[in-house]
Coordinates of all heavy atoms in Angstrom, one line a residue:
M1 N 22.8 -15.3 -7.2 CA 22.8 -14.5 -5.9 C 22.5 -15.3 -4.8 O 21.7 -16.3 -4.8 CB 21.7 -13.4 -6.0 CG 22.1 -12.2 -5.2 SD 20.8 -11.0 -5.1 CE 20.2 -10.8 -6.7
D2 N 23.3 -15.3 -3.7 CA 23.1 -16.2 -2.5 C 21.9 -15.7 -1.7 O 21.6 -14.5 -1.7 CB 24.4 -16.5 -1.8 CG 24.8 -15.2 -1.1 OD1 25.3 -14.2 -1.7 OD2 24.6 -15.1 0.1
I3 N 21.5 -16.6 -0.8 CA 20.3 -16.4 -0.1 C 20.4 -15.2 0.9 O 19.5 -14.3 1.1 CB 19.8 -17.6 0.6 CG1 19.3 -18.7 -0.3 CG2 18.6 -17.3 1.6 CD1 19.1 -20.0 0.3
R4 N 21.6 -15.1 1.5 CA 21.9 -14.2 2.5 C 21.8 -12.8 2.0 O 21.1 -11.8 2.4 CB 23.3 -14.3 3.1 CG 23.2 -14.0 4.6 CD 24.5 -14.4 5.4 NE 25.7 -13.8 4.6 CZ 26.8 -14.4 4.6 NH1 27.0 -15.5 5.2 NH2 27.9 -13.8 4.0
R5 N 22.3 -12.5 0.7 CA 22.2 -11.4 0.1 C 20.8 -10.9 -0.4 O 20.5 -9.8 -0.2 CB 23.1 -11.4 -1.3 CG 23.5 -10.1 -1.9 CD 24.4 -10.5 -3.0 NE 24.1 -9.6 -4.2 CZ 24.6 -8.3 -4.3 NH1 25.3 -7.8 -3.2 NH2 24.3 -7.6 -5.2
K6 N 20.1 -11.9 -0.7 CA 18.6 -11.7 -1.0 C 18.0 -11.2 0.1 O 17.2 -10.4 0.0 CB 18.0 -13.0 -1.5 CG 17.6 -13.1 -3.0 CD 16.9 -14.3 -3.4 CE 16.9 -14.4 -4.8 NZ 16.7 -15.8 -5.3
K7 N 18.2 -11.9 1.3 CA 17.4 -11.6 2.5 C 17.7 -10.1 2.8 O 16.9 -9.3 3.3 CB 17.9 -12.4 3.6 CG 16.9 -13.5 4.0 CD 17.3 -14.2 5.1 CE 16.4 -15.5 5.3 NZ 17.1 -16.4 6.2
I8 N 19.0 -9.6 2.7 CA 19.4 -8.2 3.1 C 18.7 -7.3 2.2 O 18.1 -6.3 2.6 CB 20.9 -8.0 2.9 CG1 21.6 -8.9 4.0 CG2 21.3 -6.5 3.0 CD1 23.1 -8.9 3.8
I9 N 18.7 -7.6 0.9 CA 17.9 -6.7 -0.1 C 16.4 -6.6 0.3 O 15.9 -5.5 0.3 CB 18.1 -7.2 -1.6 CG1 19.5 -7.0 -1.9 CG2 17.2 -6.5 -2.4 CD1 19.8 -7.6 -3.3
K10 N 15.8 -7.8 0.5 CA 14.4 -7.8 0.8 C 14.2 -7.0 2.1 O 13.1 -6.3 2.1 CB 13.9 -9.3 1.1 CG 13.7 -10.2 -0.1 CD 12.1 -10.2 -0.3 CE 11.9 -10.6 -1.7 NZ 12.0 -12.0 -2.1
S11 N 14.9 -7.0 3.1 CA 14.5 -6.4 4.4 C 14.8 -4.9 4.1 O 14.0 -4.1 4.6 CB 15.5 -6.8 5.5 OG 16.8 -6.5 5.4
S12 N 15.8 -4.4 3.2 CA 15.9 -3.0 3.1 C 14.9 -2.5 2.2 O 14.5 -1.4 2.4 CB 17.3 -2.7 2.5 OG 17.4 -3.2 1.1
V13 N 14.4 -3.3 1.3 CA 13.4 -2.8 0.4 C 12.1 -2.7 1.2 O 11.3 -1.6 1.1 CB 13.0 -3.9 -0.7 CG1 11.7 -3.6 -1.4 CG2 14.1 -3.9 -1.7
L14 N 11.9 -3.6 2.2 CA 10.6 -3.5 3.1 C 10.8 -2.2 3.8 O 9.9 -1.5 4.0 CB 10.6 -4.7 4.1 CG 9.4 -4.8 4.8 CD1 8.1 -4.9 4.0 CD2 9.5 -6.0 5.8
Q15 N 12.0 -2.0 4.4 CA 12.3 -0.8 5.3 C 11.9 0.5 4.4 O 11.2 1.4 4.9 CB 13.7 -0.7 5.7 CG 13.9 -1.1 7.1 CD 15.2 -1.1 7.5 OE1 16.1 -0.4 6.8 NE2 15.6 -1.9 8.6
S16 N 12.5 0.6 3.2 CA 12.2 1.8 2.4 C 10.7 1.9 2.0 O 10.3 3.1 1.9 CB 13.1 1.8 1.2 OG 13.0 0.7 0.5
M17 N 10.0 0.8 1.8 CA 8.5 0.9 1.5 C 7.9 1.4 2.8 O 6.9 2.3 2.6 CB 8.1 -0.4 1.1 CG 8.5 -0.9 -0.3 SD 7.5 -2.2 -0.9 CE 8.1 -3.5 0.3
E18 N 8.2 0.9 4.0 CA 7.6 1.5 5.2 C 7.9 2.9 5.3 O 6.9 3.8 5.6 CB 8.1 0.7 6.4 CG 7.5 -0.7 6.6 CD 8.2 -1.4 7.6 OE1 9.2 -1.1 8.2 OE2 7.7 -2.6 8.0
R19 N 9.0 3.4 5.0 CA 9.3 4.8 5.0 C 8.5 5.6 4.1 O 8.0 6.6 4.5 CB 10.7 4.9 4.9 CG 11.4 6.1 5.8 CD 12.9 6.0 5.9 NE 13.6 5.6 4.6 CZ 14.5 4.9 4.6 NH1 15.0 4.3 5.7 NH2 15.2 4.5 3.4
L20 N 8.3 5.1 2.9 CA 7.7 5.8 1.8 C 6.3 5.9 2.2 O 5.6 7.0 2.1 CB 7.8 5.0 0.5 CG 9.1 5.2 -0.3 CD1 9.2 4.2 -1.5 CD2 9.1 6.7 -0.8
L21 N 5.7 4.9 2.8 CA 4.2 4.9 3.2 C 4.1 6.0 4.3 O 3.0 6.6 4.4 CB 3.7 3.5 3.5 CG 3.4 2.6 2.3 CD1 3.0 1.3 2.9 CD2 2.3 3.1 1.5
A22 N 5.0 6.0 5.2 CA 5.0 7.0 6.3 C 4.9 8.3 5.7 O 4.2 9.3 6.1 CB 6.1 6.7 7.3
E23 N 5.8 8.6 4.7 CA 6.0 9.9 4.1 C 4.6 10.2 3.4 O 4.2 11.3 3.3 CB 7.1 10.0 3.1 CG 8.5 10.0 3.7 CD 8.7 11.3 4.5 OE1 8.3 12.3 3.9 OE2 9.3 11.1 5.6
A24 N 4.1 9.2 2.7 CA 2.9 9.5 2.0 C 1.7 9.9 2.9 O 1.1 10.8 2.6 CB 2.4 8.1 1.3
R25 N 1.7 9.2 4.1 CA 0.6 9.5 5.1 C 0.9 11.1 5.6 O 0.0 11.7 5.7 CB 0.8 8.7 6.3 CG -0.6 8.4 7.0 CD -0.4 7.2 7.8 NE -0.7 6.0 7.1 CZ -1.9 5.6 6.9 NH1 -2.8 6.2 7.5 NH2 -2.1 4.5 6.2
K26 N 2.2 11.3 5.8 CA 2.4 12.7 6.2 C 2.0 13.7 5.2 O 1.4 14.8 5.4 CB 4.0 12.9 6.4 CG 4.4 13.1 7.8 CD 5.8 13.4 8.0 CE 6.6 12.3 8.5 NZ 8.1 12.5 8.4
A27 N 2.4 13.4 3.8 CA 2.0 14.3 2.7 C 0.4 14.5 2.6 O -0.1 15.6 2.4 CB 2.6 13.9 1.5
H28 N -0.2 13.3 2.9 CA -1.7 13.4 2.8 C -2.2 14.2 3.8 O -3.3 15.1 3.7 CB -2.3 12.0 2.9 CG -3.8 11.9 3.0 ND1 -4.5 11.9 1.8 CD2 -4.7 11.9 4.0 CE1 -5.8 11.9 2.1 NE2 -5.9 11.9 3.4
E29 N -1.7 14.1 5.1 CA -2.1 14.9 6.3 C -1.9 16.4 6.0 O -2.7 17.2 6.3 CB -1.5 14.5 7.6 CG -2.2 13.4 8.2 CD -1.4 12.6 9.2 OE1 -0.3 13.1 9.7 OE2 -1.7 11.5 9.5
A30 N -0.9 16.7 5.2 CA -0.5 18.2 4.9 C -1.3 18.6 3.8 O -1.2 19.8 3.4 CB 1.0 18.3 4.6
G31 N -2.1 17.8 3.2 CA -3.0 18.1 2.1 C -2.4 18.1 0.9 O -2.9 18.6 -0.2
N32 N -1.3 17.4 0.7 CA -0.6 17.3 -0.5 C -0.9 15.9 -1.2 O 0.0 15.0 -1.1 CB 1.0 17.4 -0.2 CG 1.8 17.9 -1.5 OD1 1.2 17.8 -2.5 ND2 2.9 18.6 -1.2
E33 N -1.9 15.9 -1.9 CA -2.4 14.7 -2.4 C -1.6 14.1 -3.5 O -1.3 12.9 -3.6 CB -3.9 14.8 -3.0 CG -4.8 13.6 -3.2 CD -4.8 12.9 -1.7 OE1 -5.1 13.4 -0.8 OE2 -4.4 11.6 -1.9
E34 N -1.1 15.0 -4.4 CA -0.3 14.5 -5.5 C 1.1 13.9 -5.0 O 1.5 12.8 -5.6 CB 0.1 15.8 -6.5 CG 0.6 15.4 -7.7 CD -0.5 14.4 -8.6 OE1 -1.6 14.8 -8.5 OE2 0.1 13.5 -9.0
R35 N 1.6 14.5 -4.1 CA 2.8 14.0 -3.4 C 2.6 12.6 -2.7 O 3.4 11.7 -3.0 CB 3.3 15.0 -2.4 CG 4.8 14.9 -2.1 CD 5.1 16.0 -1.1 NE 6.5 15.6 -0.4 CZ 7.5 16.1 -0.9 NH1 7.5 17.0 -1.9 NH2 8.7 15.8 -0.3
A36 N 1.5 12.5 -2.1 CA 1.2 11.2 -1.4 C 1.0 10.1 -2.5 O 1.6 9.0 -2.2 CB -0.1 11.4 -0.6
R37 N 0.5 10.5 -3.5 CA 0.3 9.4 -4.6 C 1.4 9.0 -5.3 O 1.7 7.8 -5.7 CB -0.6 9.9 -5.7 CG -2.2 9.4 -5.5 CD -2.9 9.7 -6.6 NE -4.1 10.4 -6.3 CZ -5.2 10.7 -7.0 NH1 -5.1 10.3 -8.3 NH2 -6.2 11.1 -6.6
R38 N 2.4 10.0 -5.3 CA 3.7 9.7 -6.0 C 4.4 8.6 -5.1 O 5.1 7.8 -5.5 CB 4.5 11.0 -6.1 CG 5.4 10.9 -7.4 CD 5.8 12.2 -7.9 NE 6.4 13.1 -6.9 CZ 6.1 14.4 -6.8 NH1 5.3 14.9 -7.5 NH2 6.8 15.1 -5.8
Y39 N 4.4 8.9 -3.8 CA 5.0 7.9 -2.8 C 4.3 6.6 -3.0 O 5.3 5.6 -3.0 CB 4.9 8.4 -1.4 CG 5.8 9.6 -1.0 CD1 5.4 10.8 -0.4 CD2 7.2 9.4 -1.2 CE1 6.1 11.7 0.0 CE2 8.1 10.4 -0.8 CZ 7.5 11.5 -0.2 OH 8.4 12.6 0.1
V40 N 3.1 6.5 -3.0 CA 2.5 5.2 -3.2 C 2.9 4.4 -4.5 O 3.2 3.3 -4.5 CB 0.9 5.3 -3.2 CG1 0.4 3.9 -3.3 CG2 0.6 5.7 -1.8
R41 N 3.0 5.2 -5.6 CA 3.4 4.7 -6.8 C 4.9 4.2 -6.7 O 5.2 3.0 -7.2 CB 3.5 5.9 -7.8 CG 2.2 6.3 -8.4 CD 1.8 5.8 -9.6 NE 0.2 5.6 -9.8 CZ -0.5 6.8 -9.9 NH1 0.1 7.9 -10.3 NH2 -1.8 6.7 -10.1
M42 N 5.7 4.8 -6.0 CA 7.1 4.3 -5.8 C 7.0 3.1 -4.9 O 7.9 2.1 -5.3 CB 7.8 5.4 -4.8 CG 8.4 6.6 -5.8 SD 8.7 8.0 -4.9 CE 10.4 7.8 -4.2
V43 N 6.2 2.9 -4.1 CA 6.1 1.6 -3.3 C 5.6 0.6 -4.2 O 6.1 -0.6 -4.1 CB 5.0 1.8 -2.1 CG1 4.7 0.4 -1.4 CG2 5.6 2.8 -1.1
L44 N 4.7 0.8 -5.1 CA 4.3 -0.1 -6.1 C 5.2 -0.6 -7.0 O 5.4 -1.7 -7.4 CB 3.0 0.4 -6.8 CG 1.7 0.6 -6.0 CD1 0.7 1.2 -6.9 CD2 1.2 -0.9 -5.6
D45 N 6.1 0.4 -7.4 CA 7.2 0.1 -8.3 C 8.2 -0.9 -7.5 O 8.8 -1.8 -8.1 CB 7.9 1.3 -8.7 CG 7.2 2.0 -9.8 OD1 6.4 1.4 -10.4 OD2 7.5 3.2 -10.2
L46 N 8.5 -0.6 -6.3 CA 9.4 -1.5 -5.5 C 8.8 -2.8 -5.4 O 9.6 -3.8 -5.5 CB 9.7 -0.8 -4.2 CG 10.7 0.4 -4.1 CD1 10.8 0.9 -2.7 CD2 12.0 -0.1 -4.4
L47 N 7.6 -2.9 -5.2 CA 6.8 -4.2 -5.0 C 7.0 -5.0 -6.2 O 7.4 -6.2 -6.2 CB 5.4 -4.0 -4.8 CG 5.0 -3.7 -3.2 CD1 3.6 -3.4 -3.2 CD2 5.3 -4.8 -2.4
K48 N 6.9 -4.4 -7.3 CA 7.0 -5.1 -8.7 C 8.4 -5.6 -8.9 O 8.7 -6.8 -9.4 CB 6.5 -4.2 -9.7 CG 5.3 -4.9 -10.5 CD 4.9 -4.0 -11.7 CE 4.0 -3.0 -11.5 NZ 3.9 -1.9 -12.6
K49 N 9.3 -4.7 -8.7 CA 10.7 -4.9 -9.1 C 11.4 -5.9 -8.3 O 12.1 -6.8 -8.8 CB 11.4 -3.5 -8.9 CG 12.8 -3.6 -9.6 CD 13.4 -2.2 -9.4 CE 15.0 -2.2 -9.7 NZ 15.6 -1.0 -9.4
H50 N 11.0 -6.1 -7.0 CA 11.7 -6.9 -6.1 C 10.7 -8.1 -5.7 O 11.2 -9.0 -4.9 CB 12.1 -6.3 -4.8 CG 13.1 -5.3 -4.9 ND1 14.5 -5.5 -5.3 CD2 13.0 -3.9 -5.2 CE1 15.1 -4.4 -5.6 NE2 14.3 -3.3 -5.5
K51 N 9.6 -8.2 -6.3 CA 8.7 -9.2 -6.0 C 8.5 -9.4 -4.4 O 8.4 -10.5 -4.0 CB 9.0 -10.6 -6.6 CG 8.9 -10.5 -8.1 CD 9.1 -11.9 -8.7 CE 9.1 -12.0 -10.1 NZ 10.4 -12.6 -10.7
A52 N 8.4 -8.2 -4.0 CA 8.3 -8.2 -2.4 C 6.9 -8.3 -1.9 O 5.9 -8.0 -2.7 CB 9.0 -7.0 -1.8
K53 N 6.8 -8.6 -0.8 CA 5.4 -8.6 -0.2 C 5.3 -7.7 1.0 O 6.3 -7.7 1.8 CB 5.0 -10.1 0.3 CG 4.4 -10.8 -0.8 CD 3.9 -12.1 -0.4 CE 3.3 -13.0 -1.6 NZ 3.8 -14.4 -1.5
L54 N 4.2 -7.0 1.2 CA 4.1 -6.1 2.3 C 3.3 -6.9 3.4 O 2.5 -7.6 3.1 CB 3.1 -5.0 1.9 CG 4.0 -3.8 1.1 CD1 3.0 -2.8 0.6 CD2 4.9 -3.1 2.1
P55 N 3.6 -6.5 4.7 CA 2.7 -7.0 5.7 C 1.3 -6.6 5.5 O 1.0 -5.6 5.0 CB 3.4 -6.4 7.0 CG 4.3 -5.4 6.6 CD 4.7 -5.7 5.2
K56 N 0.5 -7.4 6.2 CA -0.9 -7.3 5.9 C -1.4 -5.8 6.2 O -2.3 -5.3 5.4 CB -1.7 -8.2 6.8 CG -3.0 -8.7 6.2 CD -3.7 -9.7 6.9 CE -4.8 -10.4 6.3 NZ -5.5 -11.3 7.0
E57 N -1.0 -5.3 7.3 CA -1.6 -3.9 7.7 C -1.1 -2.8 6.7 O -1.8 -1.8 6.5 CB -1.2 -3.6 9.1 CG 0.3 -3.3 9.4 CD 1.0 -4.5 9.8 OE1 0.4 -5.7 9.6 OE2 2.0 -4.5 10.4
L58 N 0.0 -3.1 5.9 CA 0.5 -2.1 4.9 C -0.1 -2.3 3.7 O -0.4 -1.5 2.9 CB 2.0 -2.2 5.0 CG 2.7 -1.4 6.1 CD1 4.2 -1.7 5.8 CD2 2.4 0.0 6.2
R59 N -0.4 -3.6 3.4 CA -1.0 -4.1 2.1 C -2.2 -3.5 2.0 O -2.7 -3.1 0.8 CB -1.0 -5.5 2.0 CG -0.7 -6.2 0.7 CD -0.8 -7.6 0.5 NE -0.2 -8.2 1.7 CZ -0.6 -9.4 2.2 NH1 -1.7 -10.1 1.7 NH2 0.2 -10.0 3.1
N60 N -3.0 -3.4 3.1 CA -4.4 -2.7 3.0 C -4.5 -1.4 3.3 O -5.5 -0.8 3.8 CB -5.3 -3.7 3.8 CG -5.5 -5.0 3.3 OD1 -5.5 -5.3 2.1 ND2 -5.8 -5.9 4.4
S61 N -3.4 -0.6 3.0 CA -3.4 0.8 3.4 C -3.4 1.8 2.2 O -3.3 2.9 2.4 CB -2.2 1.1 4.3 OG -1.0 1.0 3.7
F62 N -3.4 1.2 1.0 CA -3.4 2.1 -0.2 C -4.1 1.4 -1.2 O -4.2 0.2 -1.3 CB -2.0 2.6 -0.5 CG -1.1 1.5 -0.8 CD1 -1.0 0.9 -2.1 CD2 -0.2 0.9 0.2 CE1 -0.1 -0.1 -2.3 CE2 0.6 0.0 0.0 CZ 0.6 -0.7 -1.4
C63 N -4.5 2.1 -2.3 CA -5.2 1.6 -3.5 C -4.2 1.2 -4.5 O -3.2 2.1 -4.9 CB -6.1 2.5 -4.0 SG -7.0 2.1 -5.4
R64 N -4.2 0.0 -5.1 CA -3.3 -0.3 -6.1 C -3.7 0.2 -7.5 O -2.9 0.3 -8.4 CB -3.3 -1.9 -6.3 CG -2.4 -2.4 -5.1 CD -2.5 -4.0 -5.1 NE -1.6 -4.4 -4.0 CZ -0.4 -4.9 -4.2 NH1 0.1 -5.0 -5.3 NH2 0.4 -5.3 -3.2
K65 N -4.9 0.6 -7.5 CA -5.3 1.2 -8.9 C -5.0 2.6 -9.0 O -4.4 3.0 -10.0 CB -6.9 0.9 -9.0 CG -7.2 0.4 -10.3 CD -8.7 0.0 -10.3 CE -9.1 -0.5 -11.7 NZ -10.6 -0.9 -11.6
C66 N -5.3 3.4 -8.0 CA -5.2 4.9 -8.3 C -4.1 5.5 -7.4 O -3.7 6.6 -7.6 CB -6.5 5.6 -8.0 SG -7.0 5.4 -6.4
G67 N -3.5 4.7 -6.5 CA -2.5 5.2 -5.6 C -2.9 6.1 -4.4 O -2.1 6.7 -3.9
R68 N -4.1 6.1 -4.1 CA -4.6 6.8 -3.0 C -4.3 6.1 -1.6 O -4.4 4.9 -1.6 CB -6.2 7.0 -3.1 CG -6.6 8.3 -3.9 CD -8.0 8.5 -3.5 NE -8.5 9.4 -4.5 CZ -9.1 9.1 -5.6 NH1 -9.4 8.0 -6.0 NH2 -9.6 10.1 -6.5
L69 N -4.0 6.9 -0.6 CA -3.9 6.2 0.7 C -5.3 5.9 1.1 O -6.2 6.7 0.9 CB -3.3 7.1 1.7 CG -1.7 7.1 1.7 CD1 -1.4 8.1 2.9 CD2 -1.2 5.7 2.0
W70 N -5.5 4.9 1.8 CA -6.8 4.4 2.4 C -6.9 4.9 3.7 O -6.2 4.4 4.7 CB -7.1 2.9 2.1 CG -7.4 2.5 0.8 CD1 -7.6 3.3 -0.2 CD2 -7.5 1.1 0.4 NE1 -8.0 2.5 -1.3 CE2 -8.0 1.2 -1.0 CE3 -7.4 -0.1 1.1 CZ2 -8.1 0.1 -1.7 CZ3 -7.7 -1.2 0.3 CH2 -8.1 -1.1 -1.1
I71 N -7.8 5.8 4.0 CA -8.0 6.3 5.3 C -9.7 6.2 5.5 O -10.3 6.9 4.9 CB -7.5 7.8 5.4 CG1 -6.0 7.8 5.5 CG2 -8.1 8.4 6.8 CD1 -5.5 9.0 5.0
P72 N -10.1 5.3 6.3 CA -11.5 5.0 6.5 C -12.1 6.4 6.9 O -11.8 7.1 7.8 CB -11.6 4.1 7.7 CG -10.2 3.5 7.7 CD -9.3 4.5 7.2
G73 N -13.4 6.6 6.1 CA -14.2 7.7 6.4 C -13.6 9.0 5.7 O -14.3 9.9 5.6
D74 N -12.5 8.9 5.0 CA -11.9 10.0 4.3 C -11.8 9.6 2.8 O -12.6 10.1 2.0 CB -10.6 10.4 4.8 CG -10.1 11.6 4.2 OD1 -10.7 12.2 3.4 OD2 -8.9 12.0 4.4
T75 N -10.9 8.8 2.4 CA -10.8 8.3 1.1 C -11.5 7.0 0.7 O -11.7 6.6 -0.4 CB -9.2 8.1 0.6 OG1 -8.7 7.2 1.6 CG2 -8.6 9.5 0.8
V76 N -11.8 6.2 1.7 CA -12.6 4.9 1.4 C -13.8 4.8 2.4 O -13.8 5.4 3.5 CB -11.6 3.6 1.7 CG1 -10.5 3.6 0.7 CG2 -11.1 3.7 3.1
T77 N -14.7 4.1 1.8 CA -15.8 3.7 2.7 C -15.8 2.2 3.0 O -15.4 1.4 2.1 CB -17.2 4.0 2.1 OG1 -17.1 3.6 0.8 CG2 -17.4 5.5 2.1
V78 N -15.9 1.9 4.3 CA -15.8 0.5 4.5 C -17.1 0.0 4.9 O -18.0 0.6 5.8 CB -14.9 0.3 5.9 CG1 -14.7 -1.1 6.2 CG2 -13.5 0.9 5.6
T79 N -17.6 -1.1 4.2 CA -18.9 -1.8 4.6 C -18.7 -3.2 4.9 O -17.7 -3.8 4.5 CB -19.7 -1.5 3.3 OG1 -19.1 -2.0 2.2 CG2 -20.2 -0.1 3.1
Y80 N -19.8 -3.6 5.5 CA -19.8 -5.0 5.8 C -20.6 -5.7 4.8 O -21.8 -5.5 4.7 CB -20.3 -5.1 7.3 CG -20.3 -6.7 7.8 CD1 -19.1 -7.4 8.0 CD2 -21.5 -7.4 7.8 CE1 -19.2 -8.7 8.3 CE2 -21.5 -8.7 8.2 CZ -20.4 -9.3 8.3 OH -20.3 -10.7 8.8
D81 N -20.0 -6.7 4.2 CA -20.7 -7.5 3.2 C -21.3 -8.7 3.8 O -20.6 -9.7 4.3 CB -19.7 -7.9 2.1 CG -20.4 -8.4 0.8 OD1 -21.5 -8.7 1.0 OD2 -19.7 -8.4 -0.1
K82 N -22.6 -8.8 3.9 CA -23.4 -9.9 4.7 C -23.1 -11.2 3.8 O -23.2 -12.2 4.5 CB -24.8 -9.5 4.8 CG -25.1 -8.9 6.1 CD -26.6 -8.8 6.3 CE -26.9 -7.7 7.4 NZ -28.2 -7.1 7.2
K83 N -23.2 -11.0 2.5 CA -23.2 -12.2 1.6 C -22.0 -13.1 1.9 O -22.1 -14.3 2.1 CB -23.3 -11.8 0.2 CG -24.4 -12.5 -0.5 CD -24.2 -12.1 -2.0 CE -25.6 -11.4 -2.5 NZ -25.4 -10.7 -3.7
T84 N -20.8 -12.5 2.0 CA -19.6 -13.2 2.1 C -19.0 -13.0 3.4 O -17.9 -13.6 3.8 CB -18.5 -12.5 1.0 OG1 -18.5 -11.2 1.2 CG2 -18.9 -13.0 -0.4
A85 N -19.7 -12.3 4.3 CA -19.3 -12.2 5.7 C -18.0 -11.6 5.8 O -17.0 -12.3 6.5 CB -19.5 -13.5 6.4
C86 N -17.7 -10.6 5.2 CA -16.3 -10.0 5.3 C -16.4 -8.4 5.1 O -17.5 -7.9 4.7 CB -15.4 -10.5 4.3 SG -15.8 -10.1 2.7
L87 N -15.4 -7.6 5.4 CA -15.4 -6.3 5.3 C -15.1 -5.9 3.7 O -14.2 -6.6 3.2 CB -14.4 -5.6 6.1 CG -14.7 -5.5 7.7 CD1 -13.5 -4.9 8.4 CD2 -16.0 -4.6 7.7
R88 N -15.6 -5.0 3.2 CA -15.4 -4.6 1.9 C -15.1 -3.1 1.8 O -15.8 -2.3 2.4 CB -16.7 -4.8 1.0 CG -16.4 -4.6 -0.5 CD -17.6 -5.1 -1.3 NE -17.7 -6.6 -1.4 CZ -16.8 -7.3 -2.2 NH1 -16.1 -6.7 -3.0 NH2 -17.0 -8.7 -2.3
V89 N -14.0 -2.8 1.1 CA -13.4 -1.4 1.2 C -13.7 -0.9 -0.3 O -13.3 -1.6 -1.3 CB -11.9 -1.3 1.5 CG1 -11.4 -0.1 1.2 CG2 -11.7 -1.8 2.9
R90 N -14.3 0.3 -0.2 CA -14.5 0.9 -1.5 C -13.7 2.2 -1.7 O -14.0 3.1 -0.9 CB -16.0 1.2 -1.9 CG -16.2 1.8 -3.2 CD -17.7 2.2 -3.4 NE -18.5 1.0 -3.7 CZ -18.6 0.5 -5.1 NH1 -17.9 1.3 -6.0 NH2 -19.2 -0.5 -5.4
C91 N -12.8 2.2 -2.6 CA -12.0 3.4 -2.8 C -12.8 4.5 -3.5 O -13.7 4.3 -4.2 CB -10.7 2.9 -3.6 SG -9.6 4.4 -4.0
A92 N -12.2 5.8 -3.5 CA -12.9 6.9 -4.1 C -12.8 6.7 -5.8 O -13.7 7.3 -6.4 CB -12.3 8.2 -3.8
C93 N -11.9 5.9 -6.2 CA -11.8 5.7 -7.6 C -12.8 4.6 -8.1 O -12.9 4.4 -9.4 CB -10.4 5.3 -8.1 SG -9.9 3.7 -7.6
G94 N -13.5 4.0 -7.1 CA -14.4 2.9 -7.6 C -13.9 1.5 -7.4 O -14.6 0.6 -7.5
N95 N -12.7 1.3 -7.0 CA -12.0 0.1 -6.8 C -12.5 -0.5 -5.5 O -12.6 0.1 -4.5 CB -10.5 0.2 -6.8 CG -9.7 -1.0 -6.9 OD1 -10.4 -2.1 -7.3 ND2 -8.6 -1.1 -6.4
T96 N -13.0 -1.8 -5.5 CA -13.3 -2.4 -4.3 C -12.3 -3.6 -3.9 O -11.8 -4.2 -4.8 CB -14.8 -2.8 -4.2 OG1 -14.8 -3.9 -5.2 CG2 -15.8 -1.9 -4.5
K97 N -12.2 -3.8 -2.6 CA -11.5 -4.9 -2.1 C -12.0 -5.4 -0.9 O -12.7 -5.0 0.0 CB -10.0 -4.5 -1.8 CG -9.1 -5.5 -1.7 CD -7.6 -5.0 -1.2 CE -6.7 -6.2 -1.3 NZ -5.5 -6.0 -0.4
R98 N -11.9 -6.8 -0.9 CA -12.3 -7.6 0.3 C -11.2 -7.7 1.2 O -10.1 -8.0 0.9 CB -12.9 -8.9 -0.2 CG -14.1 -9.4 0.4 CD -14.6 -10.7 -0.3 NE -13.7 -11.7 -0.4 CZ -13.8 -12.7 -1.2 NH1 -14.9 -12.9 -1.8 NH2 -12.9 -13.7 -1.1
I99 N -11.6 -7.5 2.5 CA -10.5 -7.6 3.5 C -10.8 -8.8 4.3 O -11.9 -9.0 5.0 CB -10.4 -6.3 4.3 CG1 -9.8 -5.2 3.4 CG2 -9.4 -6.5 5.5 CD1 -9.4 -3.9 4.1
Ligands
ZN101 ZN1 -8.4 3.8 -5.9

C-alpha cells in the first residue's frame, strides 16, 4: 500500500473516531450509559485495527478498561500525586492513569 493511501485511511479513521467520541459524549449526557460505552468500544476497535493514535486530549477522555467516558467529578476523580508530581485519574472501575 502506498503512503498516500495510508494517510487518507489514517485521517478518515481519526475523523470517525472523533465523531464516535462526540456521539458517546452525547449519549452519556442523555443518560444512555450503555450506548456511550458501545461507542467507546468501537473507537478502541478502530485504534487496534488501524494502529492509529489519538491526539492527547482525546486519548485521555475515556477508560480503556471499561469503556467509560471520563468526565471529571462524574465518572472519574482527579487527584494530584505528590510523589510523582503529576495528575492521577481514577476511573469508577478502579483503573488509574497518570496524565
Ligand atoms: Zn474504567
